[in-house]
Amino acid sequence: MLGPIEISLVTFSGTLLLYAVYYQLLYLISSNKFARRYGCKPARADRHWDPILGLDFVISTIRASRGKYQLKDLAQRFATVGRTFTSNVLGEVLIFTDEPKNAQAVLATHFNDFDIGELRRQATVKLLGHGIFNADGAYWQHSRALIRPNFVRKQVADLPLMEHHVQHMMSHLPGNGTPIDIQPFFFRMTLDTATEFLFGRSINSLRPDATAESKHFSWAFDYSLGCIAQKMRLGKFNWMYQDRKYTEACNFIHNYVRPIIADAVVHRREKNYQSNKPTLVSGAAAAIEAKKAADAAAKLGKDNALIREKADDDDDDGNEQRYTFLYELAKHTGNENELRDQIINTLIAGRDTTASLMSSTLFILSRRPDVWAKLQAEVTASLEGKAPPTFEQIKDMKYLRFVLQEVLRLYPVVPLNAKFANKDTFLPRGGGPRGDQPVFVQKGQMVIWVIYSMHRREDLWGADAAEFRPERWEGLQAGFKFLPFNGGPRICPAKITASSGQQFALTEASYTIIRLCQTFSKIECVNDQKKRPWIESLNLTCSVTGGVNCLASPLKMYDQAMHRLPGPWRPHYTPLFRLDVEKGCDALQLPIADWRRTITFSLGQLSSVAVHIIQGACRVKRQ
């Protein structure tokens, strides 16, 4: 005989069960009505030998990830199952698609129906906190409003800043036929550039006198991003990933930027900036913030005063303050935690995307001498030997732009992405036997769009979709079938940079490649790796497994000197002699037939030529 307590518990449990069943039935009725209203049909389903948990898909994905062919595996699934299909992954039904219209729906037309989701925040919060990379809703809009105005042409076109770090990077390239993996130098260079652009000071990891702290920051940044990628692969089981070194790396990064953030807050107070945007603190919290800033300022002391003075005085024309992203951000919020989170979120975009793009580009150029030759010819013709290039000259280099777009098509830096539906919604294609009808997306369901596969579809790009052919971009308007930097309202902030249409990542990549073309006659793949295909290294962004091993051959001494001559008369100059680098700096070649033409030069012009050639000789001798 059951007692009163037992009867109450049974009654309560039964009521809860009935309510759950009732709620589920109502939801199914509502969902079916929604699906019928928009003409939704079921998408094709991936086949499973484990239809309950989908362990076969999980095992296959793990195997592909370890074998570095996860993107190819997904592309093959699209080819065999369908362009939009569902798959059971650990008991949850996910939607995979490589349809441009579906990507457009998630990113733009149905933007408000999808969120980044709590899983990404859980996987990234230890390093990124709450920033534009993992935010949704009102806080994402607030983050966007803070960050986006800082990516304007004036800041993106800070080419002297890029030149400084490009030269540091190129100083590590032997130029004497010695093989070198250039990919790590790209990642260090973009980290140096990004930290100077964002913080106002670079970690200078490429300098020979780089501090141990700078080197450790570079390591901590790489290690923590790798850990985040592992946590995101685990999905709702990301809590199972525990790594003490990951925690230490995140703490080191936060401690490294803390005094820089505190200095920006002090600078904000000294300049008496008043925020006209919402921040995360008010009242007592604001008082705590002010006290923290004061304590940090006292600790930093004279060093920070010198840094602020340098930031105020260091400018391009002597009258205008040198731009610092963090100081601009601090005009709108004095919350140190918010500044830290936003600046680290932006650092990821500023470092990894550019380095991955340049790595894949050099992987191709070292194997395609025809593309390198066309690129170098355009650089020579466009610049007329002038160095370094201007922003407008970079923008006008059509073939260079085509090369980078083709690299982003075949080897996108972010090859797949995902969002969760925050309400019942639908995708415009993928349902029905032919996959041309809408597909119902249930609230909470994940949609994964695979850019890598979309960019290689022959029905979208032609029969030569798998070939690297930059010329295809002549007159091509790709729309949402080309998504190297995302799209819609969440498009990468660095892509919206003024009417010129240039992007921060593309500007830095373009500038670096131009300088490589001006410095080296050719960059070749190491002989024993010429047949090695591009292999994915998939983390938060996608780089090249095994690196980019190549040989760099410097331009002849004479060519280097010619590139430094004044543009208006350089093409008409015929030299008195040429220096043969390969025979040594003392070997002279005197073209006697050219004496009559060169005799017309004034003594001043000949002196200028001599100075340029001697400077070039010293540089080559040091190499």
Side-chain angles (χ1 to χ4, degrees), residues 33-209:
K33 185 183 297 184
F34 180 95
R36 287 196 304 271
R37 183 190 315 155
Y38 291 99
C40 297
K41 300 294 181 183
R44 295 182 182 179
D46 198 6
R47 293 183 178 179
H48 293 282
W49 53 255
D50 175 16
I52 299 175
L53 293 177
L55 292 177
D56 54 328
F57 185 92
V58 175
I59 294 170
S60 174
T61 301
I62 293 173
R63 187 182 296 118
S65 177
R66 290 178 177 175
K68 306 295 183 182
Y69 61 88
Q70 186 175 354
L71 297 176
K72 287 186 176 180
D73 181 62
L74 284 172
Q76 184 61 37
R77 286 181 187 270
F78 285 118
T80 55
V81 181
R83 292 302 171 188
T84 300
F85 66 88
T86 60
S87 187
N88 183 357
V89 181
L90 297 177
E92 295 188 11
V93 178
L94 311 185
I95 298 176
F96 292 82
T97 184
D98 68 353
E99 283 283 0
K101 288 187 177 180
N102 288 345
Q104 183 179 13
V106 176
L107 295 171
T109 56
H110 298 175
F111 175 77
N112 292 326
D113 296 350
F114 293 92
D115 288 335
I116 289 296
E118 190 60 32
L119 290 181
R120 181 186 285 193
R121 281 186 284 278
Q122 292 173 3
T124 60
V125 68
K126 185 172 288 188
L127 175 66
L128 303 183
H130 302 282
I132 194 169
F133 184 77
N134 58 13
D136 282 314
Y139 191 69
W140 171 79
Q141 293 175 354
H142 169 63
S143 301
R144 183 74 164 183
L146 282 175
I147 290 175
R148 181 170 173 174
N150 295 286
F151 284 100
V152 296
R153 171 177 163 168
K154 179 182 174 184
Q155 278 64 260
V156 173
D158 189 359
L159 301 183
L161 182 149
M162 295 180 186
E163 170 70 12
H164 177 69
H165 297 292
V166 169
Q167 291 300 327
H168 279 312
M169 183 274 294
M170 291 199 298
S171 70
H172 289 271
L173 307 184
N176 59 3
T178 303
I180 188 170
D181 179 8
I182 199 172
Q183 181 168 256
F185 295 102
F186 283 151
F187 275 86
R188 289 166 63 186
M189 184 197 82
T190 52
L191 184 60
D192 289 352
T193 306
T195 49
E196 183 164 359
F197 175 77
L198 296 173
F199 302 158
R201 65 188 87 168
S202 173
I203 70 167
N204 286 320
S205 65
L206 282 172
R207 289 175 59 105
D209 59 345

Side-chain angles (χ1 to χ4, degrees), residues 359-492:
S359 297
S360 293
T361 301
L362 264 292
F363 183 89
I364 292 297
L365 293 179
S366 65
R367 288 159 171 79
R368 289 289 299 273
D370 58 322
V371 177
W372 172 266
K374 287 183 180 180
L375 202 54
Q376 199 166 49
E378 181 182 62
V379 169
T380 303
S382 300
L383 300 181
E384 296 183 349
K386 295 177 183 177
T390 66
F391 185 82
E392 291 300 327
Q393 287 171 328
I394 294 174
K395 187 181 76 171
D396 291 339
M397 291 189 192
K398 184 170 68 172
Y399 190 71
L400 173 59
R401 184 169 68 253
F402 291 170
V403 167
L404 292 176
Q405 286 175 321
E406 188 71 345
V407 171
L408 288 168
R409 183 183 72 84
L410 287 174
Y411 313 108
V413 293
V414 183
L416 72 166
N417 218 323
K419 279 192 173 186
F420 293 85
N422 57 35
K423 63 178 72 171
D424 287 349
T425 185
F426 68 95
L427 300 177
R429 291 182 63 85
R434 294 185 298 178
D436 58 354
Q437 294 177 284
V439 174
F440 175 70
V441 183
Q442 186 178 1
K443 180 181 178 180
Q445 193 168 20
M446 180 190 286
V447 176
I448 302 168
W449 64 100
V450 183
I451 301 161
Y452 176 89
S453 176
M454 184 195 304
H455 285 183
R456 291 167 175 258
R457 285 177 53 173
E458 292 186 1
D459 58 325
L460 297 178
W461 299 93
D464 62 349
E467 295 180 21
F468 185 88
R469 189 171 64 84
E471 293 78 9
R472 79 172 72 246
W473 289 94
E474 184 73 57
L476 178 63
Q477 297 295 326
F480 271 84
K481 72 178 183 180
F482 180 61
L483 292 172
F485 295 105
N486 224 330
R490 287 196 84 121
I491 192 170
C492 175

Side-chain angles (χ1 to χ4, degrees), residues 183 187 352 355-357 359-360 411-413 534-539 541-547:
Q183 181 168 256
F187 275 86
D352 283 44
S356 297
L357 170 58
S359 297
S360 293
Y411 313 108
V413 293
W534 182 91
I535 302 173
E536 69 191 58
S537 178
L538 187 57
N539 287 306
T541 59
C542 191
S543 54
V544 187
T545 293

Side-chain angles (χ1 to χ4, degrees), residues 221-428:
F221 196 74
D222 287 336
Y223 190 84
S224 58
L225 292 186
C227 294
I228 287 175
Q230 293 288 357
K231 290 173 73 68
M232 290 180 68
R233 289 191 187 102
L234 290 172
K236 62 183 179 181
F237 299 101
N238 65 77
W239 57 269
M240 297 176 62
Y241 184 90
Q242 300 294 328
D243 186 342
R244 181 176 56 83
K245 290 174 66 177
Y246 171 52
T247 302
E248 293 174 356
C250 293
N251 290 338
F252 181 86
I253 293 170
H254 291 170
N255 291 334
Y256 185 94
V257 303
R258 183 173 291 116
I260 303 173
I261 301 295
D263 180 56
V265 173
V266 172
H267 181 261
R268 164 194 164 88
R269 291 211 324 272
E270 289 179 351
K271 296 294 184 180
N272 198 29
Y273 290 126
Q274 298 297 322
S275 174
N276 58 359
K277 298 181 181 295
T279 61
L280 300 182
V281 294
S282 60
I288 295 173
E289 173 200 331
K291 185 177 185 305
K292 286 171 60 181
D295 293 343
K299 182 179 179 181
L300 291 170
K302 294 182 179 180
D303 290 340
N304 278 339
L306 291 173
I307 291 169
R308 291 196 303 276
E309 181 180 351
K310 181 178 185 302
D312 288 338
D313 295 339
D314 187 13
D315 54 61
D316 293 333
D317 58 10
N319 298 317
E320 191 174 342
Q321 180 179 328
R322 178 71 178 269
Y323 177 84
T324 300
F325 183 95
L326 176 59
Y327 282 17
E328 286 297 310
L329 211 60
K331 290 180 180 179
H332 305 287
T333 176
N335 186 319
E336 291 190 31
N337 287 337
E338 183 177 17
L339 287 171
R340 181 200 67 192
D341 293 350
Q342 299 293 4
I343 210 78
I344 294 177
N345 275 251
T346 311
L347 180 59
I348 291 178
R351 199 286 293 258
D352 283 44
T353 54
T354 312
S356 297
L357 170 58
M358 290 193 293
S359 297
S360 293
T361 301
L362 264 292
F363 183 89
I364 292 297
L365 293 179
S366 65
R367 288 159 171 79
R368 289 289 299 273
D370 58 322
V371 177
W372 172 266
K374 287 183 180 180
L375 202 54
Q376 199 166 49
E378 181 182 62
V379 169
T380 303
S382 300
L383 300 181
E384 296 183 349
K386 295 177 183 177
T390 66
F391 185 82
E392 291 300 327
Q393 287 171 328
I394 294 174
K395 187 181 76 171
D396 291 339
M397 291 189 192
K398 184 170 68 172
Y399 190 71
L400 173 59
R401 184 169 68 253
F402 291 170
V403 167
L404 292 176
Q405 286 175 321
E406 188 71 345
V407 171
L408 288 168
R409 183 183 72 84
L410 287 174
Y411 313 108
V413 293
V414 183
L416 72 166
N417 218 323
K419 279 192 173 186
F420 293 85
N422 57 35
K423 63 178 72 171
D424 287 349
T425 185
F426 68 95
L427 300 177

